[in-house]
Amino acid sequence: MIERAKVAVVGVGNNISALVQGIAFYRASGSLVGIYRPVVDGLGVGDIDFVAAFATADSKVGKDLTEAIFVAPNNFPRIGTELPPSGVRVERGLTDATGVDRVAKALAGAEVMLYAAPSGRPEVARAYAEAALRAGVAFINTTSDVVARDPQWMELFEAAGLPLLGDDLTSQFGTSIVHHTLLRLLEERGLTLVSSYQVNLGGTEDFRNLAQNGSGKKQSKLNALTSHQSTVDKVQMAPLGYLSQLQSEKVAYLNIEAQGWGETSVSLDVKLKAHDPSGGAGVTIDLIRMAVSAFRNGRGGYAAEAATLLKSPPGTAR
């Protein structure tokens, strides 16, 4: 039997709540509902063990991971049965570059560090990447902060023989992947794009943070949509909106205006509603297993197989 992946998490918010609960649910139930890749290089969705966790909220530090994921302002619902204690105590996380050595020491036994703290703190993201380098573990950046698309960081991880995956998730079935697919379909069918826009509303703390500090996220979302230069000036992204009553759900609105045969008009409006943390967890579970596989096989740097799971992989705009 293959050895379970050993994962350290940074940030104990809704996305980690969805991930921790989901892994326990699939391990106990054997269900394959909502799973895209049941197995990646021998690792199933339940073959993940959490070995360390970091957070900055006083209400979460010191608690067991399976207790901390339910502490407010987390609002992702409970799924499955009650979780037994994980044995992983949430440690004090970084707020700047101070304490990198402490974090690196706490990563003993980990294979992957999953960075899932709020976006908009690039210096903190890079501090954790440095800790991963010092500890000799792979690094996954799920946020829109620039790490993996920075050539200098990629060179450092390649030289160390450590995987570096990022930046920013493309949700399992979220606004970016739906919008991108529709724009691609338009092109494939010979229609001409006139204009398009996207509006996103959510109720998680990450959404509140991004509504206030969303410039990096906006660029990352545009990276996921404007793969062809011809669409760059025709796609607009409204600022993210925070509505607490939405809880962990996200509501998105898409509009596409195009022209078909004889320059006749085509108009499409779409509304998408989903639990945002679930969409993140459905992709993160694959990124973890890809990173672990690359780590165990000594493949440092970027794992090309992760490209479709990321909004801003290496080579995209910063």
Side-chain angles (χ1 to χ4, degrees):
M1 180 178 293
I2 193 167
E3 181 183 358
R4 286 181 179 176
K6 304 296 190 296
V7 179
V9 296
V10 177
V12 185
N14 280 303
N15 287 352
I16 297 303
S17 177
L19 181 67
V20 171
Q21 290 192 71
I23 288 171
F25 169 77
Y26 286 113
R27 185 184 293 166
S29 68
S31 170
L32 292 179
V33 174
I35 300 297
Y36 179 46
R37 296 177 177 88
V39 178
V40 174
D41 290 333
L43 289 166
V45 294
D47 294 330
I48 310 294
D49 284 338
F50 296 99
V51 297
F54 303 89
T56 56
D58 291 338
S59 57
K60 296 176 182 178
V61 173
K63 288 184 169 59
D64 187 272
L65 177 61
T66 56
E67 179 185 1
I69 60 175
F70 297 113
V71 172
N74 288 12
N75 53 21
F76 183 73
R78 290 179 181 266
I79 57 177
T81 58
E82 290 294 318
L83 296 175
S86 67
V88 175
R89 183 179 65 85
V90 177
E91 300 186 40
R92 176 73 60 184
L94 302 177
T95 55
D96 53 34
T98 305
V100 169
D101 282 334
R102 172 179 60 83
V103 171
K105 290 178 182 177
L107 295 176
E111 297 173 287
V112 173
M113 176 187 279
L114 176 68
Y115 183 74
S119 295
R121 303 171 185 173
E123 70 287 347
V124 176
R126 290 190 286 269
Y128 277 108
E130 176 63 31
L133 271 175
R134 295 184 190 182
V137 304
F139 188 77
I140 300 172
N141 178 30
T142 72
T143 77
S144 57
D145 295 325
V146 177
V147 181
R149 57 199 145 127
D150 184 327
Q152 292 183 331
W153 279 103
M154 186 57 71
E155 289 174 7
L156 288 172
F157 275 82
E158 286 176 344
L162 298 172
L164 173 59
L165 278 62
D167 299 323
D168 206 3
L169 302 178
T170 295
S171 185
Q172 188 176 19
F173 194 78
T175 323
S176 295
I177 190 67
V178 172
H179 201 171
H180 174 79
T181 300
L182 290 171
L183 291 174
R184 185 178 61 192
L185 180 62
L186 207 72
E187 181 181 8
E188 289 176 353
R189 302 302 292 177
L191 280 77
T192 300
L193 177 67
V194 175
S195 66
S196 184
Y197 65 77
Q198 181 185 130
V199 178
N200 292 274
L201 307 171
T204 66
E205 280 299 291
D206 198 40
F207 249 90
R208 173 152 62 177
N209 171 61
L210 288 169
Q212 299 170 352
N213 307 286
S215 59
K217 185 70 172 181
K218 181 178 180 180
Q219 182 59 57
S220 186
K221 291 179 77 65
L222 285 170
N223 287 343
L225 298 177
T226 55
S227 55
H228 297 286
Q229 190 63 33
S230 60
T231 65
V232 170
D233 297 327
K234 297 179 180 180
V235 179
Q236 293 187 332
M237 195 75 55
L240 297 179
Y242 171 73
L243 297 173
S244 60
Q245 59 264 43
L246 289 177
Q247 300 279 316
S248 69
E249 289 187 310
K250 177 174 72 175
V251 179
Y253 298 91
L254 309 177
N255 169 266
I256 294 176
E257 302 294 333
Q259 289 182 317
W261 178 264
E263 298 186 356
T264 54
S265 62
V266 176
S267 183
L268 176 67
D269 289 285
V270 176
K271 175 184 176 182
L272 172 64
K273 187 175 183 180
H275 281 278
D276 201 34
S278 292
V283 170
T284 300
I285 190 66
D286 290 351
L287 288 173
I288 289 172
R289 292 179 292 170
M290 290 174 183
V292 169
S293 176
F295 177 84
R296 292 178 177 178
N297 287 287
R299 292 191 290 122
Y302 179 58
E305 60 268 28
T308 59
L309 306 179
L310 301 165
K311 288 189 181 78
S312 296
T316 52
R318 298 173 57 182

